[in-house]
Amino acid sequence: MEFAAFTARADDIDAEAADLAKTALVRDLFAAAGDDLSVVARFVQGRVFPAWDSTTLDIGPSLCYEAIARAAGQNVTAAAVEDRLAEMGEIGDVAASFDFGGQRGLAAFGSGGQSNLTVEGVDEALRALAAASGSGSQDRKLDTLFGLFNRCSPAEARYLARLVLAEMRIGVGEGTVRDAIAEAFLADAADAAAVRDDDADDEQVTAARERRDTAIETVERALQVSNDYGRVAVIARDEGETGLDAVQLEVGRPVQAMLAQAGTVLDALDAWGDVAVETKFDGARVQVHYDGGSENGEGDTDVSLFSRNMEDVTDALPEVVEFVEREVDVPVILDGEVVAVDDDGSPLPFQEILRRFRRKHDVDRMRDEVTVELRAFDCLHVDGDDLLAESVTDRHDRLTDLLGETDAVSNLLLTEDAEEIEAYEAEALDAGHEGIMLKNPDAPYSPGKRGKNWLKRKPDVETLDLVVTGAEWGEGRRATFLGTFLVSARVEESEDAEFRTLGKVATGITDERLAELTERLEPDIVAESGTQVDLRPTTVFEVGYEEIQQSPTYSSGYALRFPRFVEVREDKTPETADTLERVERLAEQQ
Ligand code: AMP
């Protein structure tokens, strides 16, 4: 395909505002792309390389401006290109505003169509440019790019500049490409037309839409698994649904990470009944690919580690590589977090992992300073089995089969009991973790999706400053500490300070803190029965919670759902603590 034909279609696609009509134009482009389909499917999104490939062109904007200036002629400098950019606001428009003499100019010299740029030619030139490295490589890149711009018509220059800077700006996102692939190669042309036909009868449209959606789902799955729009487009065209269904994960090619939304424990319990609860590790996301230790040459590592953005971070994390090589002997793809830990394996603050995560130099020296470990929480592939469609619990089982119930694997609690979740959370916070994740136990792994199946427990929105009016002695190793605190709101109108209870706080307090609080509150004990104590009101806690509920359990008539300790409010006294009126107001506002 001539590059000019591609850019003419890109212009048409850009000019079309309606989604379905835009998709139809992309579909027609794909159908016309012939041997260049895989490149075209990437180019429409401004990509030269597939998403799984972390290779970049490594061309900064200034090199691009320089190449444009050179191609534009003797009188134009890179500074002049930048001035125009400041005026016009977008590099494609700037590139198109110069006359490089492409096509028309060449034709005038009698070279006919021979020298026209092709999609394949542009792709090859850009790839060669990406591969250039070492001394003088920037100059060679500049020469190549200049050579390309020199052959461009204004329309071609517009899209070449955008491709080089990885932004096509024609409003074609991943969803459009996916739908266009389905329509071009899987869906029935009559269905595609019916979906767009305002006069078609409802039944026909519904049936057409269903068939189109099924085709789209097939494409979507293959895209999720392969992360390669070009390859999927070609398979859809050449092998149809059967070919797409057969697309498998490949060890060594990262898939997009599944993401989480914020949500509450109540959301999770309401939606799923049973909840899979895990520690939320405070580290950096890592996807582990291991080929099982097959016959690689000496010194070659067969473990690859990828960041959340699918960058290759293998070289920065040799301990994780060694761990995987030691513990696993089959091909796997794991998802998890790398955390920085102290000598006891307890988590260190997030900043510490940042000192290691993308490091390219001094890895060995830093390894002595900051120890990192893997905390795997998911398993996408084991020894030929793709597990994306399996449930959270089944995938976690495969993970424990592989690595055992060790620190390297998240400890999954399956429960429908809010109190168990609360206790799990207290323990996680106590151990220095960031919090907890709540997962739908039946959910598959959906790459790249920020869906409702994974929830990171929402931080509390509004806190209350409540007076501690009672407590309970702990159990087991905490028997000498006050462990659970009864918190109360002040009754505003009362003559002598009167307090009404609202809930018990036991979550969010470290052992060290419990010792301090016990020492502080013990002198305030005014009555004791069993493990329960009444306290003279002296101390104010800032308390987080998920919801305020009406409840007969406490004397205020309200109860906090998931109350947790945030801080002691040293600056407040029981007289300035929050009032029952404020609690009532907040409850109403919910
Ligand atoms: P956030 O970065 O705040 O959006 O929270 C989601 C992130 O938490 C994920 O992308 C992971 O990097 C991280 N995370 C830590 N522990 C887990 C876990 N057990 N399951 C899933 N994600 C986790």
Side-chain angles (χ1 to χ4, degrees):
M1 179 178 247
E2 306 255 312
F3 192 53
F6 170 76
T7 62
R9 284 179 187 259
D11 272 340
D12 293 344
I13 293 167
D14 186 28
E16 179 57 68
D19 283 349
L20 277 174
K22 213 186 227 331
T23 309
L25 292 173
V26 180
R27 171 195 69 200
D28 296 345
L29 166 63
F30 289 171
D35 289 345
D36 297 316
L37 178 58
S38 75
V39 179
V40 165
R42 289 196 287 267
F43 275 14
V44 280
Q45 293 184 78
R47 282 183 174 282
V48 175
F49 297 97
W52 58 263
D53 187 343
S54 51
T55 312
T56 60
L57 293 178
D58 191 23
I59 301 175
S62 50
L63 198 113
C64 182
Y65 306 155
E66 181 73 41
I68 291 173
R70 242 209 244 174
Q74 282 179 340
N75 305 330
V76 183
T77 59
V81 172
E82 282 193 63
D83 286 347
R84 248 190 228 200
L85 180 60
E87 236 171 73
M88 305 180 85
E90 196 270 309
I91 194 64
D93 291 345
V94 173
S97 71
F98 289 106
D99 191 353
F100 300 131
Q103 285 191 37
R104 181 168 41 78
L106 289 167
F109 285 105
S111 55
Q114 288 293 312
S115 301
N116 284 358
L117 289 171
T118 59
V119 164
E120 187 187 3
V122 171
D123 183 55
E124 276 173 7
L126 292 178
R127 281 168 180 267
L129 202 142
S133 64
S135 75
S137 64
Q138 289 294 311
D139 285 344
R140 290 203 302 282
K141 285 184 182 198
L142 182 58
D143 286 346
T144 309
L145 206 50
F146 156 68
L148 285 174
F149 276 119
N150 217 11
R151 296 168 62 191
C152 280
S153 70
E156 290 171 314
R158 166 177 283 119
Y159 291 106
L160 178 62
R162 290 180 179 175
L163 258 180
V164 164
L165 298 180
E167 207 186 347
M168 279 307 259
R169 304 177 72 100
I170 55 173
V172 173
E174 296 182 345
T176 313
V177 176
R178 176 200 61 202
D179 295 359
I181 294 173
E183 272 196 23
F185 308 121
L186 302 182
D188 189 282
D191 284 348
V195 166
R196 291 170 171 79
D197 183 358
D198 292 338
D199 299 327
D201 74 70
D202 284 356
E203 243 171 71
Q204 199 188 348
V205 173
T206 311
R209 208 168 263 154
E210 274 172 15
R211 281 191 293 267
R212 183 175 177 273
D213 287 351
T214 312
I216 289 172
E217 264 171 44
T218 307
V219 176
E220 169 84 12
R221 194 206 70 91
L223 286 172
Q224 287 188 347
V225 168
S226 69
N227 235 328
D228 189 335
Y229 283 80
R231 189 170 149 229
V232 167
V234 171
I235 294 175
R237 183 188 63 192
D238 299 347
E239 301 167 46
E241 293 199 19
T242 324
L244 291 176
D245 287 342
V247 175
Q248 297 282 302
L249 290 172
E250 270 179 55
V251 172
R253 292 189 176 187
V255 286
Q256 289 179 33
M258 180 162 176
L259 301 170
Q261 278 186 4
T264 63
V265 174
L266 295 178
D267 291 340
L269 288 169
D270 284 352
W272 319 315
D274 268 339
V275 180
V277 188
E278 282 179 358
T279 301
K280 184 169 194 288
F281 303 103
D282 196 8
R285 188 79 174 258
V286 73
Q287 199 173 96
V288 179
H289 288 244
Y290 181 47
D291 72 1
S294 54
E295 55 301 321
N296 247 338
E298 185 73 11
D300 266 355
T301 170
D302 29 35
V303 177
S304 299
L305 306 175
F306 298 99
S307 73
R308 174 166 160 165
N309 301 326
M310 296 185 287
E311 253 174 286
D312 191 323
V313 293
T314 315
D315 292 343
L317 305 165
E319 303 96 309
V320 179
V321 171
E322 288 159 17
F323 170 81
V324 175
E325 283 173 338
R326 196 169 61 236
E327 298 298 324
V328 185
D329 55 10
V330 289
V332 292
I333 302 176
L334 310 178
D335 190 4
E337 197 89 351
V338 273
V339 291
V341 293
D342 65 14
D343 291 344
D344 302 329
S346 300
L348 290 173
F350 181 62
Q351 287 76 356
E352 294 298 311
I353 187 69
L354 293 185
R355 296 171 67 202
R356 291 284 316 268
F357 194 62
R358 284 189 182 78
R359 180 165 283 275
K360 297 206 165 54
H361 306 289
D362 290 337
V363 171
D364 286 337
R365 184 174 59 77
M366 279 313 291
R367 184 176 175 173
D368 291 337
E369 280 188 36
V370 181
T371 304
V372 301
E373 284 181 2
L374 176 67
R375 299 286 179 261
F377 51 71
D378 216 314
C379 179
L380 314 189
H381 177 96
V382 182
D383 203 9
D385 293 345
D386 277 357
L387 307 176
L388 294 181
E390 310 280 312
S391 67
V392 163
T393 41
D394 285 351
R395 296 197 310 272
H396 197 272
D397 285 348
R398 297 294 291 262
L399 191 57
T400 15
D401 287 348
L402 274 175
L403 296 174
E405 286 179 17
T406 60
D407 279 353
V409 176
S410 67
N411 170 19
L412 187 144
L413 165 74
L414 191 62
T415 180
E416 50 179 1
D417 178 352
E419 277 178 25
E420 263 192 89
I421 299 179
E422 208 175 314
Y424 187 103
E425 179 175 57
E427 215 171 291
L429 292 171
D430 238 22
H433 297 296
E434 199 185 344
I436 55 171
M437 298 289 300
L438 308 166
K439 297 183 178 177
N440 175 355
D442 299 326
Y445 191 97
S446 317
K449 292 272 158 9
R450 192 181 287 287
K452 287 194 162 63
N453 283 326
W454 284 15
L455 301 176
K456 48 188 172 183
R457 189 186 177 287
K458 214 184 215 156
D460 309 296
V461 251
E462 198 149 3
T463 55
L464 282 167
D465 296 328
L466 300 173
V467 181
V468 187
T469 52
E472 283 170 32
W473 291 106
E475 287 170 6
R477 74 187 164 95
R478 288 180 161 183
T480 54
F481 297 148
L482 291 172
T484 302
F485 302 91
L486 190 64
V487 288
S488 301
R490 183 165 60 88
V491 181
E492 197 162 33
E493 303 302 322
S494 60
E495 296 252 308
D496 17 85
E498 195 185 319
F499 298 95
R500 298 276 167 80
T501 56
L502 259 181
K504 289 178 184 171
V505 181
T507 304
I509 318 180
T510 62
D511 277 1
E512 207 180 4
R513 205 56 202 269
L514 281 181
E516 270 170 40
L517 290 171
T518 305
E519 197 173 321
R520 172 185 187 136
L521 293 169
E522 225 177 333
D524 294 332
I525 295 178
V526 287
E528 203 156 351
S529 116
T531 56
Q532 318 258 342
V533 303
D534 292 344
L535 294 172
R536 186 152 29 101
T538 60
T539 303
V540 180
F541 279 5
E542 181 178 355
V543 177
Y545 56 91
E546 281 189 358
E547 198 181 270
I548 302 172
Q549 259 188 342
Q550 295 211 333
S551 158
T553 313
Y554 297 105
S555 62
S556 62
Y558 294 98
L560 299 180
R561 299 295 313 270
F562 298 99
R564 54 179 186 161
F565 175 80
V566 181
E567 249 320 319
V568 176
R569 288 295 301 252
E570 302 291 359
D571 55 330
K572 286 208 165 181
T573 61
E575 291 70 41
T576 55
D578 278 323
T579 59
L580 191 54
E581 287 71 15
R582 172 148 196 263
V583 174
E584 278 163 0
R585 215 171 35 248
L586 286 172
E588 265 166 36
Q589 284 166 6
Q590 284 172 158

